[in-house]
Amino acid sequence: MEKIVNDFTINIATANGTGSQSANLILLNALFRMGTHASGKNLFPSNIAGLPTWYIVRVSDYGYQAPGDNTHIQVVMNIDTWSEDIEKLAPGTVLIHNTDVKAPVNRDDLIVYPVPMTSMARKINPKLSKMVANMIYVGIMAEMLEIPQDILEEAISKQFGGKEKAIEINSQASISGREYFKSELEKKDHFYVEKREKDENRFLIDGNEAVALGCIYGGINMLSWYPITPSSSLAEGIDKYIPKLRLDKDGKSTCAVIQAEDELAAVGMVLGAGWAGARGMTCTSGPGISLMSELIGLAYYAEIPSVIWDVTRVGPSTGLPTRTQQGDISMLYEASHGDTQHIVLIPGNVDECFEFGWKAFDYAEKYQTMVFGFTDLDLGMNLWASNGFEYPDKPMNRGKVLRTQEELEKIENYGRYRDVDGDGIPYRTLPGSGLEPIVSRGTGRDEDGVYSEKASVYRTNMDRLKKKIEGSRTDLPQPVFREEEEQDLGIIYYGSMENTIQEIDDILESTGMKVSQCRVRALPLSPEVDEFVRRHKKIIVLEVNRDGQMYGILRKEIATELVPKLYSVAFSDGLPPKAVEYAEAIIGTLESFEI
Amino acid sequence: MAKVNKLDLALDEYKGGKSTLCPGCGHDAISSVIMKAAWENSITPDGIAKMSGIGCSSKTPAYFLRQSHGFNTAHGRMPSVTTGANMANKDLNFLAVSGDGDTASIGIGQFIHAIRRNLNMLYIVENNGVYGLTKGQYSATAEEGSQKRKSVPNELKQIDLCAMAINLGCSFVARSFSGSRKQLTALIRAGMSHRGMAVIDVISPCVTFNNNEESYKSLQYVKNNNEELHGLDYIPHFNPIEEVEIPSGGYKEVKLHDGSYLRLETISEEHDVGDRMMALDAIHNADVKDKHVTGLLYFQEGIPTLDETENLVDTPLAELSEDMLRPSKETLDDLLTGFRA
Ligand SMILES: Cc1ncc(C[n+]2csc(CCOP(=O)(O)OP(=O)(O)O)c2C)c(N)n1
Ligand code: SF4
Ligand SMILES: [Mg+2]
């Protein structure tokens, strides 16, 4: 059989809290250092220790980043999922198992590498044997796949950043795995890793850290947050970078961090900061957004610059708290009671996480409104490859704030809610300035900010708000297109589906279909999306939720005559989208409508 | 010519829009004390931020201090909005008004946590034992046995906001009555001078829904059952505008952060405002007799405020320029180099 190089999926089954995460990250990092396209997806439970966890590593010379549809190399460490994990494997799969778990392998159609990982680890460090055992399978795979030891050592050093003892133990364990493979096992599989030219600009980072850095460079002044997976590491990221990047020469901070008592308070603090002229932000996940809804409407109506990042997880309710979904997009767009409409920024990769991280504040202050950032657990918590973040290319946009009497006098007929410039965006003054004070409120008010329940006043104001947000359509991040010459079929997608789209496209192409793509990067939708739909005969709206939430938004927003062109392909099982499943669903949808 | 304060401003400059509350509502009496207190203290109206939640009481920031910015937020959410505004601009002088529904029910969590963080603000609860704005339902501060108009007696125990604040370590806790103008003025003036969280629970009769004689929060009932801990005079840090009479009996002085004094004239038993247990005792003793104890219940100086514990730069964050907020390109380049290593 021929060698299979850089084209396989590894599935590592462990229990959480056993220290497998660092071993898995070392493996991923070593593959990355070899210049291969490798991605890692952590499927973890809502639990601190002892429940099943899988780490899926995909290596692909095609650059595919989605978890593969099949497993080629299976590592089993966990007794609880042992038989189920093994049962699922296709004949010919490599199985690396820890013989110290003392569980049977009742398959004779697999390539089996039995390794006494715990006993080997015990010899290296009896106290930490459970953790060290994980590095043994990394060593086994390194030898089996021909990953050079020096590269593995680099990855180990990077993982433990200067902690000599940890580096030593882990490197010892990896060597011990290697030696065991050499002396006790015989390579019967065909999987190999080969070096590729590495783009020296690339590195791995997760979306939450990228957004956190974006916020730091966006001049965030206050972070309020209430812990919730998968958004907590975003808040912790900001907290981590403040001492390095946001202290003045006397060691005093330009950004407050408050762990709020709940999400109601977290969003209240954001509004307070925005109202008083600072850049406030919170991050949360779906349940938090549900709680914040009332004040999201207040921010919209009272026109308070505010930023919320929603790192979505599986709903409804507590749902699957540690799994991924694009389940909140329609909620975000119209969050809160009454007529509301919010700006939503939708990064599709970690570079955009950074970029939209700082831009969110500019949009919030420019439009004096609530701005959401929308990511999900897959983009937020898994490592993705970055090409390097671009330093902000324009100065901070603080919006129409009048800070002095002179500035105020230049505005003809100032009123807090008067559309002086015709763009729907009013001017504002800040508390403490003494300039044209009003009582901001969520109840009806006229153009001067004076309480009013008059029908015409309410309606005029609501129309202005609509006009204000409408104006953002061409100003927000515009869609990204990949277009074919023949324009039969187009796919509209967004967010973390970016990781899977190339592979879906290749699968469809292999069946003879040529498909254009449009990645939506913000709501409200750009008019360019309309044009994309117009250019194509049929459009598939592809997303990771049950109900086709973006499909619903599109149906409402695009020109009525274009609506019949739209078809929804949407489902969600909590896992990052797999290419074959979505490609098959697309084909199935097209067939079922006999298109 | 109208009398002016230290800033050469007449009392008129501290007024607001016309009140739309029911004539005789206790809340209006408190608004008028707030205006007078701010004027007498010669506080720059520009620097005040008026904060409130939702309710008849929370509407009142529109009726005083028209030269100050205000935010009539959402029901029960005033403390968190104030927290954010405080982080944005720690130089603002936060004057907050809330109701008993707004604070003791929907907003009780935020009330507790604002105290816990020792926000630098004056938090006035206009307490009428009912939800005025939604037409008179019992609130959580209605006493067991108290009876509002056309209703049956309240069956549940009350939440005592002062006792709660004291237990939480609030640095300034007082109770007063909208009808005790002199006492309330002194307390509000002192609350404005205090650095840290000052909670003043002001019994403020709702003349429409809870002013009948069976109600423990009716005007007449409070007048007859008000146990004042002490007579109170506020002596500002600048030369007093008003003459302060020296009380004939003994007195104690509480020195406030800005150099002002609150003079406590002992009336009955001596009350030590620095003693938490004594404060709780006073509340309890009044409660068992269905009385209201009023005055400065508890006071402690020098607890760090949130803006201090946050170790913020001296300039308010809202006024920082871009070079203070956006780290340089070199710092990003350094970070990326580290990531790529
Ligand atoms: C989320 C929410 N729930 C309910 C209401 C309705 N509501 C308005 S005012 C109020 C009670 C106010 O009572 P209180 O704070 O005691 O103020 P008062 O009117 O007595 O001064 C309620 C329940 C609301 N505005 N918002
Ligand atoms: S209903 Fe009660 S609380 Fe509201 S304004 Fe009237 S008297 Fe005051
Ligand atoms: Mg009330």
Side-chain angles (χ1 to χ4, degrees):
Chain A
M1 200 176 158
E2 248 181 84
K3 274 186 165 187
I4 301 170
V5 178
N6 295 357
D7 186 18
F8 52 84
T9 297
I10 306 169
N11 181 317
I12 303 165
T14 57
N16 70 332
T18 56
S20 56
Q21 182 66 352
S22 54
N24 298 339
L25 291 176
I26 287 165
L27 175 66
L28 181 68
N29 196 265
L31 292 164
F32 187 77
R33 277 166 191 273
M34 291 182 73
T36 69
H37 287 275
S39 71
K41 305 281 179 204
N42 191 16
L43 311 182
F44 61 104
S46 177
N47 176 267
I48 299 304
L51 284 190
T53 300
W54 294 268
Y55 196 74
I56 299 170
V57 178
R58 174 89 180 270
V59 184
S60 165
D61 271 348
Y62 305 104
Y64 299 156
Q65 301 279 299
D69 294 273
N70 300 309
T71 298
H72 304 99
I73 300 165
Q74 175 74 51
V75 179
V76 286
M77 304 289 285
N78 183 4
I79 182 83
D80 294 331
T81 61
W82 189 275
S83 45
E84 208 186 317
D85 284 333
I86 294 174
E87 221 165 84
K88 275 197 296 218
L89 300 174
T93 305
V94 175
L95 176 69
I96 302 169
H97 69 102
N98 183 359
T99 53
D100 294 323
V101 175
K102 305 227 183 322
V105 175
N106 300 322
R107 293 274 301 257
D108 51 15
D109 55 348
L110 305 176
I111 300 172
V112 184
Y113 298 132
V115 187
M117 300 185 206
T118 318
S119 348
M120 287 164 67
R122 215 171 281 132
K123 281 188 204 139
I124 294 165
N125 189 318
K127 270 200 224 138
L128 300 175
S129 61
K130 226 178 167 177
M131 269 156 81
V132 176
N134 298 308
M135 266 320 280
I136 307 272
Y137 66 68
V138 174
I140 295 281
M141 278 192 278
E143 187 62 24
M144 164 195 149
L145 297 167
E146 298 187 351
I147 300 171
Q149 185 62 17
D150 57 335
I151 289 186
L152 200 56
E153 304 265 344
E154 278 175 30
I156 293 172
S157 301
K158 171 110 183 164
Q159 179 68 28
F160 295 108
K163 288 182 205 135
E164 288 308 324
K165 188 77 193 148
I167 294 174
E168 194 193 310
I169 294 175
N170 282 277
S171 127
Q172 246 181 313
S174 68
I175 293 169
S176 147
R178 258 182 206 288
E179 296 301 326
Y180 189 87
F181 193 87
K182 269 192 248 174
S183 59
E184 308 294 326
L185 302 166
E186 187 193 331
K187 184 164 168 90
K188 286 176 278 180
D189 65 273
H190 306 275
F191 298 108
Y192 293 89
V193 181
E194 272 177 20
K195 270 199 172 186
R196 295 288 178 254
E197 192 171 346
K198 183 167 181 265
D199 177 349
E200 291 304 328
N201 274 326
R202 279 161 63 93
F203 58 88
L204 293 172
I205 192 166
D206 65 52
N208 281 351
E209 185 159 358
V211 174
L213 272 172
C215 294
I216 291 277
Y217 283 85
I220 182 174
N221 290 126
M222 193 223 53
L223 164 73
S224 52
W225 68 294
Y226 189 75
I228 183 168
T229 305
S231 75
S232 298
S233 60
L234 202 173
E236 286 156 357
I238 292 174
D239 209 20
K240 175 177 93 178
Y241 283 112
I242 287 173
K244 204 169 161 189
L245 296 168
R246 292 293 301 277
L247 301 186
D248 74 353
K249 54 183 189 328
D250 302 322
K252 293 191 169 182
S253 179
T254 59
C255 180
V257 177
I258 302 179
Q259 189 182 318
E261 55 270 36
D262 54 31
E263 287 88 347
L264 301 167
V267 70
M269 292 173 198
V270 172
L271 264 68
W275 173 73
R279 297 191 145 187
M281 176 258 195
T282 182
C283 53
T284 185
S285 194
I289 301 286
S290 294
L291 283 183
M292 291 174 184
S293 288
E294 186 188 10
L295 267 73
I296 290 169
L298 177 59
Y300 174 77
Y301 192 59
E303 299 181 69
I304 315 283
S306 312
V307 175
I308 301 176
W309 277 86
D310 178 8
V311 187
T312 59
R313 62 188 216 180
V314 176
S317 189
T318 314
L320 305 177
T322 58
R323 300 297 155 95
T324 196
Q325 186 173 70
Q326 297 182 313
D328 296 351
I329 196 81
S330 59
M331 166 166 77
L332 293 187
Y333 193 33
E334 295 184 359
S336 206
H337 49 284
D339 289 317
T340 59
Q341 184 187 21
H342 310 293
I343 291 174
V344 187
L345 305 177
I346 314 172
N349 55 50
V350 281
D351 298 352
E352 288 178 355
C353 282
F354 176 81
E355 180 189 338
F356 297 177
W358 62 266
K359 280 190 174 162
F361 293 109
D362 287 354
Y363 287 124
E365 289 195 325
K366 176 171 179 183
Y367 292 98
Q368 297 177 31
T369 196
M370 175 60 69
V371 172
F372 289 106
F374 171 90
T375 64
D376 55 25
L377 183 141
D378 184 15
L379 178 53
M381 289 188 73
N382 286 316
L383 292 174
W384 289 43
S386 165
N387 295 314
F389 304 148
E390 298 284 341
Y391 189 75
D393 56 357
K394 32 180 183 283
M396 283 166 46
N397 183 346
R398 305 306 306 256
K400 297 185 190 178
V401 181
L402 304 170
R403 291 177 192 270
T404 61
Q405 187 64 38
E406 295 78 72
E407 284 173 4
L408 180 64
E409 276 160 13
K410 280 191 204 130
I411 308 300
E412 212 173 307
N413 200 13
Y414 171 87
R416 171 65 183 98
Y417 296 115
R418 186 162 290 123
D419 186 6
V420 176
D421 298 334
D423 56 4
I425 308 173
Y427 286 85
R428 63 179 185 135
T429 61
L430 299 180
S433 68
L435 302 171
E436 294 284 348
I438 60 154
V439 175
S440 304
R441 49 159 59 95
T443 28
R445 72 286 155 113
D446 64 15
E447 293 181 320
D448 291 311
V450 177
Y451 185 90
S452 169
E453 296 182 9
K454 258 195 191 154
S456 60
V457 167
Y458 171 79
R459 194 168 159 188
T460 309
N461 182 53
M462 290 303 287
D463 288 346
R464 180 183 56 77
L465 285 174
K466 176 111 186 144
K467 175 174 165 189
K468 176 175 91 163
I469 303 295
E470 280 296 315
S472 72
R473 286 185 192 271
T474 50
D475 182 34
L476 298 173
Q478 296 297 294
V480 175
F481 301 105
R482 274 185 228 99
E483 290 200 49
E484 296 288 344
E485 259 169 45
E486 46 283 41
Q487 305 201 306
D488 278 349
L489 188 61
I491 294 180
I492 293 178
Y493 71 102
Y494 56 99
S496 62
M497 181 64 90
E498 174 71 352
N499 229 356
T500 314
I501 199 73
Q502 182 60 48
E503 195 175 355
I504 294 174
D505 185 67
D506 289 352
I507 296 170
L508 293 178
E509 194 158 333
S510 72
T511 70
M513 258 185 247
K514 287 217 183 272
V515 208
S516 305
Q517 290 131 36
C518 162
R519 177 159 66 86
V520 168
R521 299 198 299 162
L523 295 175
L525 293 167
S526 157
E528 287 187 29
V529 178
D530 262 56
E531 291 313 310
F532 178 82
V533 177
R534 209 175 286 283
R535 285 196 293 275
H536 291 82
K537 289 207 185 102
K538 291 132 205 154
I539 296 289
I540 294 281
V541 187
L542 191 64
E543 52 196 315
V544 190
N545 54 56
R546 185 191 65 182
D547 294 340
Q549 298 187 8
M550 183 63 86
Y551 169 75
I553 293 169
L554 274 154
R555 280 182 66 102
K556 196 171 146 190
E557 295 217 339
I558 62 172
T560 317
E561 73 271 17
L562 300 178
V563 170
K565 290 185 173 192
L566 301 180
Y567 297 87
S568 171
V569 172
F571 58 87
S572 157
D573 56 7
L575 304 177
K578 290 181 179 173
V580 170
E581 289 179 0
Y582 280 86
E584 280 171 356
I586 290 170
I587 294 166
T589 300
L590 294 174
E591 279 169 359
S592 71
F593 288 102
E594 292 180 35
I595 312 168
Chain B
M1 248 203 26
K3 215 173 145 193
V4 292
N5 66 5
K6 287 264 143 197
L7 303 172
D8 263 340
L9 298 174
L11 180 59
D12 255 7
E13 309 276 345
Y14 288 80
K15 292 203 167 144
K18 194 174 166 304
S19 169
T20 60
L21 302 185
C22 308
C25 174
H27 302 347
D28 275 339
I30 302 173
S31 292
S32 103
V33 171
I34 289 173
M35 292 182 245
K36 183 144 175 290
W39 176 68
E40 286 180 345
N41 273 19
S42 290
I43 299 179
T44 329
D46 294 8
I48 295 179
K50 304 176 289 184
M51 310 302 287
S52 67
I54 297 289
C56 297
S57 36
S58 292
K59 282 182 173 190
T60 61
Y63 315 143
F64 56 77
L65 296 171
R66 90 171 77 71
Q67 295 182 29
S68 309
H69 276 78
F71 198 165
N72 179 192
T73 65
H75 200 20
R77 312 299 167 221
M78 176 275 287
S80 65
V81 177
T82 306
T83 307
N86 181 216
M87 293 299 95
N89 190 341
K90 62 194 169 78
D91 291 353
L92 287 174
N93 210 324
F94 290 100
L95 169 59
V97 174
S98 176
D100 43 321
D102 201 57
T103 290
S105 286
I106 194 167
I108 195 156
Q110 299 208 346
F111 172 69
I112 287 173
H113 286 273
I115 293 174
R116 183 173 157 254
R117 296 188 181 104
N118 197 23
L119 272 198
N120 186 18
M121 70 183 290
L122 169 56
Y123 191 133
I124 298 170
V125 184
E126 304 189 345
N127 186 350
N128 53 17
V130 287
Y131 293 179
L133 196 57
T134 49
K135 296 196 180 289
Q137 301 81 2
Y138 280 124
S139 83
T141 64
E143 299 82 354
E144 187 182 11
S146 176
Q147 187 176 344
K148 67 186 166 78
R149 204 174 129 230
K150 293 189 191 155
S151 184
V152 292
N154 176 44
E155 291 173 345
L156 300 179
K157 298 243 182 268
Q158 65 155 319
I159 289 176
D160 190 303
L161 293 171
C162 288
M164 181 176 249
I166 292 165
N167 273 317
L168 289 163
C170 183
S171 47
F172 182 118
V173 184
R175 174 163 290 144
S176 190
F177 169 45
S178 61
S180 306
R181 200 173 162 84
K182 178 166 180 281
Q183 182 197 49
L184 183 59
T185 308
L187 285 172
I188 290 183
R189 293 184 70 182
M192 287 172 171
S193 292
H194 178 62
R195 178 160 176 84
M197 171 66 83
V199 170
I200 310 179
D201 179 28
V202 188
I203 304 164
S204 173
C206 168
V207 294
T208 305
F209 298 110
N210 200 17
N211 201 31
N212 44 309
E213 56 183 78
E214 303 83 6
S215 161
Y216 297 0
K217 284 191 169 68
S218 66
L219 224 100
Q220 205 50 50
Y221 187 92
V222 185
K223 271 190 186 152
N224 296 340
N225 295 280
N226 181 358
E227 292 190 336
E228 292 194 4
L229 277 173
H230 31 232
L232 283 175
D233 281 305
Y234 176 87
I235 305 158
H237 60 92
F238 47 82
N239 292 337
I241 301 172
E242 63 276 89
E243 291 292 310
V244 182
E245 267 179 54
I246 305 284
S248 48
Y251 69 86
K252 282 191 203 166
E253 273 175 353
V254 168
K255 188 165 191 245
L256 300 159
H257 180 80
D258 65 358
S260 314
Y261 288 90
L262 196 57
R263 182 173 288 171
L264 317 177
E265 181 188 345
T266 309
I267 289 180
S268 55
E269 228 180 296
E270 219 172 290
H271 179 76
D272 179 357
V273 294
D275 185 331
R276 258 204 228 195
M277 295 318 290
M278 215 179 244
L280 292 171
D281 252 5
I283 293 169
H284 179 73
N285 292 339
D287 189 40
V288 292
K289 293 180 286 180
D290 293 334
K291 303 256 180 201
H292 300 287
V293 59
T294 61
L296 180 65
L297 288 158
Y298 181 71
F299 175 81
Q300 194 189 351
E301 248 287 276
I303 304 177
T305 55
L306 181 65
D307 59 278
E308 289 166 353
T309 37
E310 285 286 330
N311 186 33
L312 301 177
V313 292
D314 298 335
T315 312
L317 300 185
E319 289 165 19
L320 292 177
S321 57
E322 177 155 350
D323 58 318
M324 288 291 289
L325 296 178
R326 173 168 286 165
S328 68
K329 179 159 189 316
E330 291 68 49
T331 60
L332 183 63
D333 293 341
D334 283 353
L335 275 174
L336 295 179
T337 309
F339 291 154
R340 285 169 179 140

